[in-house]
Amino acid sequence: SISGSSVNLIGTNDYKDTENSDVVIITAGIPRKPGMSRDDLVETNFSIMNELGNAIKEYSPNAFIICVTNPLDAMVWSLKEIAGINKQMIVGMAGILDSARFKFFLSNELSISTDSIQTMVLGGHGDTMVPLLRFTSISGIPLDEFIKKKKVSEEKVKQIVSRTRNGGGEIVALMKNSSAFFSPATSAIEMLESYFFDNKRILPCSAYLEGEYNVNGLCVGVPIIIGKNGVEEIIELELQNSEKDGLNNSIQAVEELVQKCKKLLV
């Protein structure tokens, strides 16, 4: 009531209560602990995805699925396979959160509002993610111009890129027994609203690729348009060689995790 919203909430332990859901947001899974990478969660969280995937198949086969569980890209792939979900109707929440962190760190360094910063982080949701500096601008002014004018150094930008890649681990180390929750939730809601209200926002999300970026049969973070039909378009960017190398390295890391999931799928 304080925020002026009127909603009806229920809690349940019975999947049947979720029957005919329009959207399913999956956050279930064990969180990281200090010293763990997202990849360390794969076996336990795969078994949870297996249970959830079968529940989705039975009760809400037409729902739009947003997955937040780590290791993100491998869990999105697993859910798609287990539940037989159309590739347009399943996405993973990653790039929005990673891009938001990148914006926040740049904002602090430049003393400029995050609202003025446009950027995008692609690739797997892990230490190999790829913040795209060439596609980063401040109110349309390329970041490179700020570097040239010595508003920020190249070395500082490299540090910000590294902090972005390790932002989740930084939070885990501080919280000890939990991982990030507020900003991932906000990011997932942005995806949900774009679907519900047909906003057609361009958002960096983990989506199932069939040839885009020379990737087949993997879920990887790329710019997509989300509208009333789910993933309505995958936007392919013309990447430079260094960007391609970074993305390919990230894709390889996702592929290794998916191979582990394939063995568990049998």
Side-chain angles (χ1 to χ4, degrees), residues 49-105:
M49 295 307 105
N50 193 40
E51 180 180 327
L52 291 172
N54 285 312
I56 289 168
K57 186 191 296 185
E58 182 175 357
Y59 294 111
S60 297
N62 298 315
F64 183 59
I65 311 299
I66 299 171
C67 180
V68 184
T69 304
N70 282 317
L72 191 280
D73 306 276
M75 294 300 102
V76 179
W77 179 90
S78 300
L79 274 171
K80 182 186 179 303
E81 292 299 309
I82 293 162
I85 303 166
N86 183 301
K87 67 175 185 176
Q88 289 180 275
M89 296 300 286
I90 181 166
V91 286
M93 189 294 301
I96 299 171
L97 170 62
D98 300 328
S99 300
R101 287 174 176 159
F102 190 41
K103 284 183 187 180
F104 177 71
F105 299 144

Side-chain angles (χ1 to χ4, degrees), residues 1-246:
S1 62
I2 295 170
S3 64
S5 65
S6 180
V7 296
N8 179 36
L9 294 174
I10 65 164
T12 181
N13 289 322
D14 190 343
Y15 288 123
K16 194 172 189 318
D17 292 332
T18 70
E19 194 168 16
N20 296 322
S21 294
D22 295 304
V23 176
V24 175
I25 300 179
I26 294 171
T27 63
I30 59 167
R32 281 196 286 171
K33 293 182 180 178
M36 293 176 70
S37 73
R38 294 179 179 92
D39 299 356
D40 293 333
L41 310 173
V42 63
E43 287 193 22
T44 300
N45 285 352
F46 175 86
S47 66
I48 296 170
M49 295 307 105
N50 193 40
E51 180 180 327
L52 291 172
N54 285 312
I56 289 168
K57 186 191 296 185
E58 182 175 357
Y59 294 111
S60 297
N62 298 315
F64 183 59
I65 311 299
I66 299 171
C67 180
V68 184
T69 304
N70 282 317
L72 191 280
D73 306 276
M75 294 300 102
V76 179
W77 179 90
S78 300
L79 274 171
K80 182 186 179 303
E81 292 299 309
I82 293 162
I85 303 166
N86 183 301
K87 67 175 185 176
Q88 289 180 275
M89 296 300 286
I90 181 166
V91 286
M93 189 294 301
I96 299 171
L97 170 62
D98 300 328
S99 300
R101 287 174 176 159
F102 190 41
K103 284 183 187 180
F104 177 71
F105 299 144
L106 276 176
S107 168
N108 282 351
E109 185 61 30
L110 294 169
S111 295
I112 291 172
S113 169
T114 54
D115 290 341
S116 298
I117 301 174
Q118 298 81 39
T119 191
M120 192 168 290
V121 178
L122 304 187
H125 184 51
D127 300 340
T128 59
M129 66 181 72
V130 187
L132 293 179
L133 301 183
R134 192 165 56 94
F135 292 89
T136 300
S137 63
I138 295 88
S139 287
I141 304 167
L143 176 61
D144 194 48
E145 290 294 315
F146 287 79
I147 295 173
K148 287 178 182 176
K149 294 181 183 298
K150 300 190 184 303
K151 299 290 185 183
V152 62
S153 67
E154 284 190 33
E155 182 57 36
K156 190 62 186 180
V157 171
K158 287 180 182 177
Q159 291 174 12
I160 289 172
V161 167
S162 178
R163 192 180 181 194
T164 299
R165 287 175 172 154
N166 296 289
E170 184 178 337
I171 291 171
V172 169
L174 290 167
M175 297 185 69
K176 308 297 184 188
N177 294 313
S178 182
S179 57
F181 54 88
F182 186 88
S183 49
T186 306
S187 301
I189 293 302
E190 184 172 13
M191 297 160 74
L192 178 149
E193 289 180 341
S194 192
Y195 171 71
F196 260 156
F197 303 125
D198 195 25
N199 287 337
K200 300 189 188 298
R201 296 180 191 172
I202 297 176
L203 300 169
C205 305
S206 184
Y208 189 80
L209 304 184
E210 290 183 312
E212 300 89 354
Y213 294 92
N214 293 318
V215 177
N216 267 299
L218 290 179
C219 295
V220 180
V222 293
I224 65 174
I225 297 174
I226 297 180
K228 65 181 180 181
N229 298 310
V231 179
E232 298 194 346
E233 186 178 341
I234 293 171
I235 298 173
E236 284 197 79
L237 303 174
E238 289 292 330
L239 300 178
Q240 295 179 348
N241 288 337
S242 60
E243 295 163 340
K244 285 180 183 176
D245 290 343

